[in-house]
Amino acid sequence: MAKPLWVVVGVVLVLLGLLWTLQGIGVIEGSSMSGTTTWSIIGPIVLLVGAVLTSVGIRGRRP
Protein backbone atom coordinates (compact mmCIF):
# COMPACT_ATOMS: atom_id res chain seq x y z
CA MET A 1 0.00 0.00 0.00
CA ALA A 2 1.24 3.45 -0.84
CA LYS A 3 1.72 5.93 1.99
CA PRO A 4 -1.09 8.29 0.90
CA LEU A 5 -3.50 5.35 0.97
CA TRP A 6 -2.49 4.60 4.58
CA VAL A 7 -3.31 8.19 5.49
CA VAL A 8 -6.70 8.11 3.76
CA VAL A 9 -7.67 4.79 5.33
CA GLY A 10 -6.45 6.03 8.71
CA VAL A 11 -8.46 9.24 8.54
CA VAL A 12 -11.60 7.33 7.51
CA LEU A 13 -11.13 4.97 10.46
CA VAL A 14 -10.60 7.89 12.84
CA LEU A 15 -13.83 9.51 11.66
CA LEU A 16 -15.77 6.24 11.88
CA GLY A 17 -14.36 5.56 15.33
CA LEU A 18 -15.35 9.02 16.49
CA LEU A 19 -18.87 8.62 15.07
CA TRP A 20 -19.31 5.19 16.65
CA THR A 21 -18.01 6.45 20.01
CA LEU A 22 -20.40 9.39 20.02
CA GLN A 23 -23.30 7.14 19.05
CA GLY A 24 -22.33 4.58 21.66
CA ILE A 25 -22.31 7.09 24.51
CA GLY A 26 -25.58 8.62 23.31
CA VAL A 27 -24.38 12.01 22.07
CA ILE A 28 -25.62 11.29 18.53
CA GLU A 29 -29.04 9.71 18.53
CA GLY A 30 -31.37 8.34 15.91
CA SER A 31 -29.95 4.90 15.15
CA SER A 32 -29.95 1.46 16.72
CA MET A 33 -26.29 2.08 17.68
CA SER A 34 -27.21 5.02 19.93
CA GLY A 35 -26.70 4.42 23.62
CA THR A 36 -25.19 0.96 23.11
CA THR A 37 -22.17 0.02 25.21
CA THR A 38 -20.74 -2.14 22.42
CA TRP A 39 -20.20 0.87 20.16
CA SER A 40 -18.77 2.97 22.96
CA ILE A 41 -16.05 0.30 23.24
CA ILE A 42 -15.51 -0.49 19.55
CA GLY A 43 -15.42 3.19 18.55
CA PRO A 44 -12.29 4.21 20.49
CA ILE A 45 -10.48 1.05 19.38
CA VAL A 46 -11.18 1.83 15.71
CA LEU A 47 -10.21 5.46 16.34
CA LEU A 48 -6.84 4.42 17.77
CA VAL A 49 -6.15 2.01 14.90
CA GLY A 50 -6.94 4.81 12.46
CA ALA A 51 -4.62 7.19 14.30
CA VAL A 52 -1.78 4.65 14.13
CA LEU A 53 -2.33 4.05 10.39
CA THR A 54 -2.40 7.79 9.76
CA SER A 55 0.79 8.25 11.74
CA VAL A 56 2.54 5.45 9.85
CA GLY A 57 1.38 6.90 6.54
CA ILE A 58 2.62 10.38 7.39
CA ARG A 59 5.95 9.39 8.91
CA GLY A 60 6.68 6.37 6.76
CA ARG A 61 9.35 3.81 7.53
CA ARG A 62 12.79 4.93 8.52
CA PRO A 63 15.73 3.07 7.00
Side-chain angles (χ1 to χ4, degrees):
M1 253 172 31
K3 290 179 189 175
L5 186 57
W6 284 82
V7 174
V8 170
V9 170
V11 168
V12 168
L13 287 177
V14 166
L15 292 175
L16 277 176
L18 180 62
L19 175 65
W20 291 347
T21 301
L22 293 175
Q23 284 182 327
I25 61 176
V27 173
I28 299 175
E29 297 187 8
S31 79
S32 61
M33 294 168 57
S34 298
T36 306
T37 305
T38 303
W39 295 107
S40 62
I41 295 171
I42 293 173
I45 294 169
V46 171
L47 192 142
L48 287 173
V49 169
V52 169
L53 285 178
T54 303
S55 172
V56 168
I58 290 173
R59 292 188 319 167
R61 291 190 174 193
R62 298 182 186 202

CSV table of all heavy atoms in Angstrom, one decimal:
chain,number,residue,atom,x,y,z
A,1,MET,N,0.8,-1.2,0.0
A,1,MET,CA,0.0,0.0,0.0
A,1,MET,C,0.9,1.2,0.0
A,1,MET,O,1.9,1.3,0.7
A,1,MET,CB,-0.9,0.0,1.3
A,1,MET,CG,-2.3,-0.3,0.9
A,1,MET,SD,-3.5,-0.6,2.3
A,1,MET,CE,-3.1,0.4,3.6
A,2,ALA,N,0.5,2.2,-0.8
A,2,ALA,CA,1.2,3.4,-0.8
A,2,ALA,C,0.9,4.3,0.4
A,2,ALA,O,-0.1,4.1,1.1
A,2,ALA,CB,0.8,4.2,-2.1
A,3,LYS,N,1.9,5.1,0.8
A,3,LYS,CA,1.7,5.9,2.0
A,3,LYS,C,0.5,6.8,2.0
A,3,LYS,O,-0.2,6.9,3.0
A,3,LYS,CB,3.0,6.8,2.2
A,3,LYS,CG,4.2,5.9,2.6
A,3,LYS,CD,5.4,6.8,2.8
A,3,LYS,CE,6.6,5.9,3.0
A,3,LYS,NZ,7.8,6.7,3.1
A,4,PRO,N,0.1,7.5,0.9
A,4,PRO,CA,-1.1,8.3,0.9
A,4,PRO,C,-2.3,7.5,1.2
A,4,PRO,O,-3.3,7.9,1.8
A,4,PRO,CB,-1.2,8.9,-0.5
A,4,PRO,CG,0.3,8.9,-1.0
A,4,PRO,CD,0.9,7.7,-0.4
A,5,LEU,N,-2.4,6.2,0.7
A,5,LEU,CA,-3.5,5.4,1.0
A,5,LEU,C,-3.6,5.0,2.5
A,5,LEU,O,-4.7,5.0,3.0
A,5,LEU,CB,-3.4,4.1,0.1
A,5,LEU,CG,-4.6,3.1,0.2
A,5,LEU,CD1,-5.8,3.9,-0.3
A,5,LEU,CD2,-4.3,1.9,-0.7
A,6,TRP,N,-2.5,4.8,3.1
A,6,TRP,CA,-2.5,4.6,4.6
A,6,TRP,C,-3.1,5.8,5.3
A,6,TRP,O,-3.9,5.6,6.2
A,6,TRP,CB,-1.1,4.4,5.1
A,6,TRP,CG,-0.5,3.1,4.8
A,6,TRP,CD1,0.1,2.7,3.6
A,6,TRP,CD2,-0.4,1.9,5.7
A,6,TRP,NE1,0.5,1.4,3.7
A,6,TRP,CE2,0.3,0.9,4.9
A,6,TRP,CE3,-0.8,1.7,7.0
A,6,TRP,CZ2,0.5,-0.3,5.5
A,6,TRP,CZ3,-0.6,0.5,7.5
A,6,TRP,CH2,0.1,-0.5,6.8
A,7,VAL,N,-2.8,7.0,4.9
A,7,VAL,CA,-3.3,8.2,5.5
A,7,VAL,C,-4.8,8.3,5.3
A,7,VAL,O,-5.6,8.6,6.2
A,7,VAL,CB,-2.6,9.5,5.0
A,7,VAL,CG1,-3.3,10.7,5.5
A,7,VAL,CG2,-1.1,9.4,5.3
A,8,VAL,N,-5.3,8.0,4.1
A,8,VAL,CA,-6.7,8.1,3.8
A,8,VAL,C,-7.5,7.1,4.6
A,8,VAL,O,-8.5,7.4,5.2
A,8,VAL,CB,-7.0,7.9,2.2
A,8,VAL,CG1,-8.4,7.8,1.9
A,8,VAL,CG2,-6.4,9.1,1.5
A,9,VAL,N,-7.0,5.8,4.6
A,9,VAL,CA,-7.7,4.8,5.3
A,9,VAL,C,-7.7,5.1,6.8
A,9,VAL,O,-8.7,5.0,7.5
A,9,VAL,CB,-7.0,3.4,5.1
A,9,VAL,CG1,-7.5,2.4,6.0
A,9,VAL,CG2,-7.2,3.0,3.6
A,10,GLY,N,-6.5,5.6,7.3
A,10,GLY,CA,-6.4,6.0,8.7
A,10,GLY,C,-7.4,7.1,9.1
A,10,GLY,O,-8.1,7.0,10.1
A,11,VAL,N,-7.5,8.1,8.3
A,11,VAL,CA,-8.5,9.2,8.5
A,11,VAL,C,-9.9,8.7,8.5
A,11,VAL,O,-10.7,9.1,9.4
A,11,VAL,CB,-8.3,10.4,7.5
A,11,VAL,CG1,-9.4,11.4,7.6
A,11,VAL,CG2,-6.9,11.1,7.8
A,12,VAL,N,-10.2,7.9,7.6
A,12,VAL,CA,-11.6,7.3,7.5
A,12,VAL,C,-11.9,6.5,8.8
A,12,VAL,O,-13.0,6.7,9.4
A,12,VAL,CB,-11.8,6.5,6.2
A,12,VAL,CG1,-13.1,5.7,6.3
A,12,VAL,CG2,-11.8,7.3,5.0
A,13,LEU,N,-10.9,5.7,9.2
A,13,LEU,CA,-11.1,5.0,10.5
A,13,LEU,C,-11.3,5.9,11.7
A,13,LEU,O,-12.1,5.6,12.6
A,13,LEU,CB,-10.0,4.0,10.7
A,13,LEU,CG,-10.0,2.8,9.7
A,13,LEU,CD1,-8.8,1.9,10.0
A,13,LEU,CD2,-11.3,1.9,9.9
A,14,VAL,N,-10.5,6.9,11.7
A,14,VAL,CA,-10.6,7.9,12.8
A,14,VAL,C,-12.0,8.5,12.9
A,14,VAL,O,-12.6,8.6,13.9
A,14,VAL,CB,-9.5,9.0,12.8
A,14,VAL,CG1,-9.8,10.2,13.7
A,14,VAL,CG2,-8.2,8.4,13.1
A,15,LEU,N,-12.5,8.9,11.7
A,15,LEU,CA,-13.8,9.5,11.7
A,15,LEU,C,-14.9,8.5,12.0
A,15,LEU,O,-15.9,8.8,12.8
A,15,LEU,CB,-14.1,10.1,10.3
A,15,LEU,CG,-13.2,11.3,9.9
A,15,LEU,CD1,-13.5,11.7,8.5
A,15,LEU,CD2,-13.5,12.5,10.9
A,16,LEU,N,-14.8,7.3,11.5
A,16,LEU,CA,-15.8,6.2,11.9
A,16,LEU,C,-15.7,5.9,13.4
A,16,LEU,O,-16.8,5.8,14.0
A,16,LEU,CB,-15.5,5.0,11.1
A,16,LEU,CG,-16.1,4.9,9.7
A,16,LEU,CD1,-15.7,3.6,9.0
A,16,LEU,CD2,-17.6,5.0,9.7
A,17,GLY,N,-14.5,5.8,13.9
A,17,GLY,CA,-14.4,5.6,15.3
A,17,GLY,C,-15.0,6.7,16.2
A,17,GLY,O,-15.6,6.4,17.2
A,18,LEU,N,-14.8,7.9,15.8
A,18,LEU,CA,-15.4,9.0,16.5
A,18,LEU,C,-16.9,9.0,16.4
A,18,LEU,O,-17.6,9.1,17.4
A,18,LEU,CB,-14.8,10.3,15.9
A,18,LEU,CG,-15.4,11.6,16.6
A,18,LEU,CD1,-14.9,11.7,18.0
A,18,LEU,CD2,-14.8,12.8,15.8
A,19,LEU,N,-17.4,8.7,15.2
A,19,LEU,CA,-18.9,8.6,15.1
A,19,LEU,C,-19.4,7.5,15.9
A,19,LEU,O,-20.4,7.7,16.6
A,19,LEU,CB,-19.2,8.4,13.6
A,19,LEU,CG,-20.7,8.1,13.3
A,19,LEU,CD1,-21.5,9.4,13.6
A,19,LEU,CD2,-20.8,7.7,11.8
A,20,TRP,N,-18.8,6.3,15.9
A,20,TRP,CA,-19.3,5.2,16.7
A,20,TRP,C,-19.2,5.5,18.1
A,20,TRP,O,-20.1,5.0,18.9
A,20,TRP,CB,-18.6,3.9,16.3
A,20,TRP,CG,-18.9,3.4,14.9
A,20,TRP,CD1,-19.9,3.8,14.1
A,20,TRP,CD2,-18.1,2.4,14.2
A,20,TRP,NE1,-19.8,3.2,12.9
A,20,TRP,CE2,-18.8,2.3,12.9
A,20,TRP,CE3,-17.0,1.7,14.4
A,20,TRP,CZ2,-18.3,1.4,12.0
A,20,TRP,CZ3,-16.6,0.8,13.5
A,20,TRP,CH2,-17.2,0.6,12.3
A,21,THR,N,-18.2,6.1,18.6
A,21,THR,CA,-18.0,6.4,20.0
A,21,THR,C,-19.1,7.4,20.4
A,21,THR,O,-19.8,7.2,21.5
A,21,THR,CB,-16.6,7.1,20.3
A,21,THR,OG1,-15.6,6.2,19.9
A,21,THR,CG2,-16.5,7.4,21.8
A,22,LEU,N,-19.4,8.4,19.7
A,22,LEU,CA,-20.4,9.4,20.0
A,22,LEU,C,-21.8,8.8,20.0
A,22,LEU,O,-22.6,9.1,20.8
A,22,LEU,CB,-20.3,10.6,19.1
A,22,LEU,CG,-19.1,11.5,19.3
A,22,LEU,CD1,-19.1,12.6,18.2
A,22,LEU,CD2,-19.0,12.1,20.7
A,23,GLN,N,-22.0,7.9,19.1
A,23,GLN,CA,-23.3,7.1,19.0
A,23,GLN,C,-23.4,6.2,20.2
A,23,GLN,O,-24.5,6.1,20.9
A,23,GLN,CB,-23.5,6.3,17.8
A,23,GLN,CG,-23.8,7.2,16.6
A,23,GLN,CD,-24.0,6.4,15.3
A,23,GLN,OE1,-23.4,5.4,15.1
A,23,GLN,NE2,-24.9,6.9,14.5
A,24,GLY,N,-22.3,5.5,20.6
A,24,GLY,CA,-22.3,4.6,21.7
A,24,GLY,C,-22.6,5.2,23.0
A,24,GLY,O,-23.3,4.6,23.9
A,25,ILE,N,-22.1,6.4,23.2
A,25,ILE,CA,-22.3,7.1,24.5
A,25,ILE,C,-23.6,7.9,24.5
A,25,ILE,O,-23.9,8.5,25.5
A,25,ILE,CB,-21.1,7.9,24.9
A,25,ILE,CG1,-20.8,9.0,23.9
A,25,ILE,CG2,-19.9,7.0,25.2
A,25,ILE,CD1,-19.6,9.9,24.4
A,26,GLY,N,-24.3,8.0,23.4
A,26,GLY,CA,-25.6,8.6,23.3
A,26,GLY,C,-25.6,10.1,22.9
A,26,GLY,O,-26.6,10.7,23.0
A,27,VAL,N,-24.4,10.6,22.5
A,27,VAL,CA,-24.4,12.0,22.1
A,27,VAL,C,-25.1,12.2,20.7
A,27,VAL,O,-25.9,13.2,20.6
A,27,VAL,CB,-22.9,12.5,21.9
A,27,VAL,CG1,-22.8,13.9,21.4
A,27,VAL,CG2,-22.2,12.4,23.3
A,28,ILE,N,-24.9,11.3,19.8
A,28,ILE,CA,-25.6,11.3,18.5
A,28,ILE,C,-26.7,10.2,18.6
A,28,ILE,O,-26.4,9.0,18.8
A,28,ILE,CB,-24.7,11.0,17.4
A,28,ILE,CG1,-23.6,12.1,17.3
A,28,ILE,CG2,-25.4,10.9,16.0
A,28,ILE,CD1,-22.5,11.8,16.2
A,29,GLU,N,-27.9,10.6,18.4
A,29,GLU,CA,-29.0,9.7,18.5
A,29,GLU,C,-29.7,9.5,17.2
A,29,GLU,O,-29.4,10.2,16.2
A,29,GLU,CB,-30.1,10.2,19.5
A,29,GLU,CG,-29.5,10.3,20.9
A,29,GLU,CD,-30.5,10.7,22.0
A,29,GLU,OE1,-31.7,10.7,21.7
A,29,GLU,OE2,-30.1,10.9,23.1
A,30,GLY,N,-30.6,8.6,17.1
A,30,GLY,CA,-31.4,8.3,15.9
A,30,GLY,C,-31.0,7.1,15.2
A,30,GLY,O,-31.5,6.8,14.1
A,31,SER,N,-30.2,6.2,15.8
A,31,SER,CA,-30.0,4.9,15.2
A,31,SER,C,-30.0,3.8,16.2
A,31,SER,O,-30.0,4.1,17.4
A,31,SER,CB,-28.6,4.9,14.4
A,31,SER,OG,-27.5,4.7,15.4
A,32,SER,N,-29.9,2.6,15.8
A,32,SER,CA,-29.9,1.5,16.7
A,32,SER,C,-28.6,1.4,17.5
A,32,SER,O,-28.5,0.7,18.5
A,32,SER,CB,-30.2,0.2,16.0
A,32,SER,OG,-29.2,-0.1,15.0
A,33,MET,N,-27.6,2.1,17.0
A,33,MET,CA,-26.3,2.1,17.7
A,33,MET,C,-26.3,3.1,18.8
A,33,MET,O,-25.4,3.0,19.7
A,33,MET,CB,-25.2,2.4,16.7
A,33,MET,CG,-25.0,1.4,15.6
A,33,MET,SD,-24.0,2.0,14.2
A,33,MET,CE,-22.5,2.5,15.0
A,34,SER,N,-27.2,4.0,18.9
A,34,SER,CA,-27.2,5.0,19.9
A,34,SER,C,-27.4,4.4,21.3
A,34,SER,O,-28.3,3.7,21.5
A,34,SER,CB,-28.3,6.0,19.6
A,34,SER,OG,-28.1,6.7,18.4
A,35,GLY,N,-26.6,4.8,22.2
A,35,GLY,CA,-26.7,4.4,23.6
A,35,GLY,C,-26.3,3.0,23.9
A,35,GLY,O,-26.7,2.4,24.9
A,36,THR,N,-25.6,2.4,23.0
A,36,THR,CA,-25.2,1.0,23.1
A,36,THR,C,-23.7,0.9,23.6
A,36,THR,O,-22.8,1.4,22.9
A,36,THR,CB,-25.4,0.2,21.8
A,36,THR,OG1,-26.7,0.4,21.3
A,36,THR,CG2,-25.1,-1.3,21.9
A,37,THR,N,-23.5,0.1,24.6
A,37,THR,CA,-22.2,0.0,25.2
A,37,THR,C,-21.2,-0.6,24.2
A,37,THR,O,-20.0,-0.2,24.2
A,37,THR,CB,-22.2,-0.9,26.5
A,37,THR,OG1,-23.2,-0.3,27.4
A,37,THR,CG2,-20.9,-0.9,27.2
A,38,THR,N,-21.6,-1.5,23.4
A,38,THR,CA,-20.7,-2.1,22.4
A,38,THR,C,-20.0,-1.1,21.6
A,38,THR,O,-18.8,-1.2,21.3
A,38,THR,CB,-21.5,-3.1,21.5
A,38,THR,OG1,-22.2,-4.1,22.4
A,38,THR,CG2,-20.6,-3.8,20.5
A,39,TRP,N,-20.8,-0.1,21.1
A,39,TRP,CA,-20.2,0.9,20.2
A,39,TRP,C,-19.4,1.9,20.9
A,39,TRP,O,-18.5,2.5,20.3
A,39,TRP,CB,-21.3,1.5,19.3
A,39,TRP,CG,-21.9,0.6,18.4
A,39,TRP,CD1,-23.2,0.0,18.5
A,39,TRP,CD2,-21.3,-0.1,17.3
A,39,TRP,NE1,-23.3,-0.9,17.5
A,39,TRP,CE2,-22.2,-1.0,16.8
A,39,TRP,CE3,-20.1,0.0,16.7
A,39,TRP,CZ2,-22.0,-1.8,15.7
A,39,TRP,CZ3,-19.8,-0.8,15.6
A,39,TRP,CH2,-20.7,-1.7,15.1
A,40,SER,N,-19.6,2.1,22.2
A,40,SER,CA,-18.8,3.0,23.0
A,40,SER,C,-17.4,2.3,23.3
A,40,SER,O,-16.5,3.0,23.7
A,40,SER,CB,-19.5,3.4,24.2
A,40,SER,OG,-19.7,2.3,25.1
A,41,ILE,N,-17.3,1.0,23.1
A,41,ILE,CA,-16.0,0.3,23.2
A,41,ILE,C,-15.3,0.1,21.9
A,41,ILE,O,-14.1,0.4,21.8
A,41,ILE,CB,-16.3,-1.1,23.9
A,41,ILE,CG1,-16.8,-0.9,25.3
A,41,ILE,CG2,-15.0,-1.9,23.9
A,41,ILE,CD1,-17.3,-2.1,26.0
A,42,ILE,N,-16.1,-0.3,20.9
A,42,ILE,CA,-15.5,-0.5,19.5
A,42,ILE,C,-15.0,0.8,18.9
A,42,ILE,O,-14.0,0.9,18.3
A,42,ILE,CB,-16.5,-1.2,18.6
A,42,ILE,CG1,-16.8,-2.6,19.1
A,42,ILE,CG2,-16.0,-1.2,17.2
A,42,ILE,CD1,-17.9,-3.3,18.4
A,43,GLY,N,-15.8,1.9,19.1
A,43,GLY,CA,-15.4,3.2,18.5
A,43,GLY,C,-14.0,3.7,18.9
A,43,GLY,O,-13.2,4.0,18.0
A,44,PRO,N,-13.7,3.8,20.2
A,44,PRO,CA,-12.3,4.2,20.5
A,44,PRO,C,-11.2,3.3,20.0
A,44,PRO,O,-10.1,3.7,19.6
A,44,PRO,CB,-12.3,4.3,22.0
A,44,PRO,CG,-13.7,4.4,22.4
A,44,PRO,CD,-14.5,3.6,21.4
A,45,ILE,N,-11.5,2.0,19.9
A,45,ILE,CA,-10.5,1.1,19.4
A,45,ILE,C,-10.2,1.3,17.9
A,45,ILE,O,-9.1,1.4,17.5
A,45,ILE,CB,-10.9,-0.4,19.6
A,45,ILE,CG1,-11.0,-0.7,21.1
A,45,ILE,CG2,-10.0,-1.4,18.9
A,45,ILE,CD1,-11.6,-2.0,21.5
A,46,VAL,N,-11.3,1.5,17.1
A,46,VAL,CA,-11.2,1.8,15.7
A,46,VAL,C,-10.5,3.2,15.5
A,46,VAL,O,-9.6,3.4,14.7
A,46,VAL,CB,-12.6,1.8,15.0
A,46,VAL,CG1,-12.5,2.3,13.6
A,46,VAL,CG2,-13.1,0.4,15.0
A,47,LEU,N,-10.8,4.1,16.4
A,47,LEU,CA,-10.2,5.5,16.3
A,47,LEU,C,-8.7,5.4,16.5
A,47,LEU,O,-7.9,6.0,15.8
A,47,LEU,CB,-10.8,6.4,17.4
A,47,LEU,CG,-10.5,7.8,17.3
A,47,LEU,CD1,-11.7,8.6,17.7
A,47,LEU,CD2,-9.4,8.2,18.2
A,48,LEU,N,-8.3,4.6,17.5
A,48,LEU,CA,-6.8,4.4,17.8
A,48,LEU,C,-6.1,3.7,16.6
A,48,LEU,O,-5.0,4.1,16.2
A,48,LEU,CB,-6.6,3.7,19.1
A,48,LEU,CG,-6.9,4.4,20.4
A,48,LEU,CD1,-6.8,3.5,21.6
A,48,LEU,CD2,-6.0,5.6,20.5
A,49,VAL,N,-6.7,2.7,16.1
A,49,VAL,CA,-6.1,2.0,14.9
A,49,VAL,C,-6.0,3.0,13.7
A,49,VAL,O,-5.0,3.0,13.1
A,49,VAL,CB,-7.0,0.8,14.5
A,49,VAL,CG1,-6.5,0.2,13.2
A,49,VAL,CG2,-6.9,-0.3,15.6
A,50,GLY,N,-7.0,3.8,13.5
A,50,GLY,CA,-6.9,4.8,12.5
A,50,GLY,C,-5.8,5.8,12.7
A,50,GLY,O,-5.1,6.2,11.8
A,51,ALA,N,-5.7,6.2,14.0
A,51,ALA,CA,-4.6,7.2,14.3
A,51,ALA,C,-3.2,6.6,14.0
A,51,ALA,O,-2.3,7.3,13.5
A,51,ALA,CB,-4.8,7.6,15.7
A,52,VAL,N,-3.1,5.3,14.4
A,52,VAL,CA,-1.8,4.6,14.1
A,52,VAL,C,-1.5,4.5,12.6
A,52,VAL,O,-0.4,4.8,12.2
A,52,VAL,CB,-1.8,3.3,14.8
A,52,VAL,CG1,-0.6,2.4,14.3
A,52,VAL,CG2,-1.7,3.4,16.3
A,53,LEU,N,-2.5,4.2,11.9
A,53,LEU,CA,-2.3,4.0,10.4
A,53,LEU,C,-2.0,5.4,9.8
A,53,LEU,O,-1.1,5.5,8.9
A,53,LEU,CB,-3.6,3.5,9.7
A,53,LEU,CG,-3.8,2.0,9.9
A,53,LEU,CD1,-5.1,1.6,9.2
A,53,LEU,CD2,-2.7,1.2,9.3
A,54,THR,N,-2.7,6.4,10.3
A,54,THR,CA,-2.4,7.8,9.8
A,54,THR,C,-1.0,8.2,10.1
A,54,THR,O,-0.2,8.7,9.2
A,54,THR,CB,-3.4,8.8,10.3
A,54,THR,OG1,-4.7,8.4,10.0
A,54,THR,CG2,-3.1,10.2,9.8
A,55,SER,N,-0.6,7.9,11.3
A,55,SER,CA,0.8,8.2,11.7
A,55,SER,C,1.8,7.5,10.9
A,55,SER,O,2.8,8.1,10.5
A,55,SER,CB,1.0,7.9,13.2
A,55,SER,OG,2.3,8.0,13.6
A,56,VAL,N,1.6,6.2,10.7
A,56,VAL,CA,2.5,5.4,9.8
A,56,VAL,C,2.6,6.0,8.4
A,56,VAL,O,3.6,6.1,7.8
A,56,VAL,CB,2.1,3.9,9.8
A,56,VAL,CG1,2.9,3.2,8.8
A,56,VAL,CG2,2.4,3.3,11.2
A,57,GLY,N,1.4,6.4,7.9
A,57,GLY,CA,1.4,6.9,6.5
A,57,GLY,C,2.1,8.2,6.4
A,57,GLY,O,2.7,8.5,5.4
A,58,ILE,N,2.0,9.1,7.4
A,58,ILE,CA,2.6,10.4,7.4
A,58,ILE,C,4.1,10.3,7.6
A,58,ILE,O,4.9,10.9,6.9
A,58,ILE,CB,2.0,11.3,8.4
A,58,ILE,CG1,0.6,11.7,8.0
A,58,ILE,CG2,2.8,12.6,8.6
A,58,ILE,CD1,-0.2,12.4,9.1
A,59,ARG,N,4.5,9.5,8.6
A,59,ARG,CA,5.9,9.4,8.9
A,59,ARG,C,6.7,8.4,8.0
A,59,ARG,O,7.8,8.6,7.6
A,59,ARG,CB,6.1,8.9,10.4
A,59,ARG,CG,5.7,10.0,11.4
A,59,ARG,CD,6.1,9.6,12.7
A,59,ARG,NE,5.9,8.2,13.0
A,59,ARG,CZ,6.3,7.5,14.0
A,59,ARG,NH1,7.0,8.2,14.9
A,59,ARG,NH2,6.0,6.3,14.2
A,60,GLY,N,6.0,7.4,7.6
A,60,GLY,CA,6.7,6.4,6.8
A,60,GLY,C,7.7,5.6,7.6
A,60,GLY,O,7.9,5.8,8.7
A,61,ARG,N,8.3,4.6,6.9
A,61,ARG,CA,9.3,3.8,7.5
A,61,ARG,C,10.7,4.5,7.5
A,61,ARG,O,11.0,5.1,6.4
A,61,ARG,CB,9.4,2.5,6.9
A,61,ARG,CG,8.2,1.6,7.1
A,61,ARG,CD,8.5,0.2,6.6
A,61,ARG,NE,7.4,-0.6,7.0
A,61,ARG,CZ,7.4,-1.9,7.0
A,61,ARG,NH1,8.5,-2.5,6.5
A,61,ARG,NH2,6.4,-2.6,7.3
A,62,ARG,N,11.4,4.3,8.5
A,62,ARG,CA,12.8,4.9,8.5
A,62,ARG,C,13.8,3.8,8.2
A,62,ARG,O,13.7,2.8,8.8
A,62,ARG,CB,13.0,5.6,9.9
A,62,ARG,CG,12.1,6.7,10.1
A,62,ARG,CD,12.3,7.4,11.4
A,62,ARG,NE,11.2,8.4,11.5
A,62,ARG,CZ,11.3,9.4,12.3
A,62,ARG,NH1,12.4,9.6,13.0
A,62,ARG,NH2,10.3,10.2,12.4
A,63,PRO,N,14.7,4.1,7.3
A,63,PRO,CA,15.7,3.1,7.0
A,63,PRO,C,16.7,2.8,8.1
A,63,PRO,O,16.9,3.4,9.1
A,63,PRO,CB,16.5,3.7,5.8
A,63,PRO,CG,16.1,5.1,5.7
A,63,PRO,CD,14.9,5.3,6.6
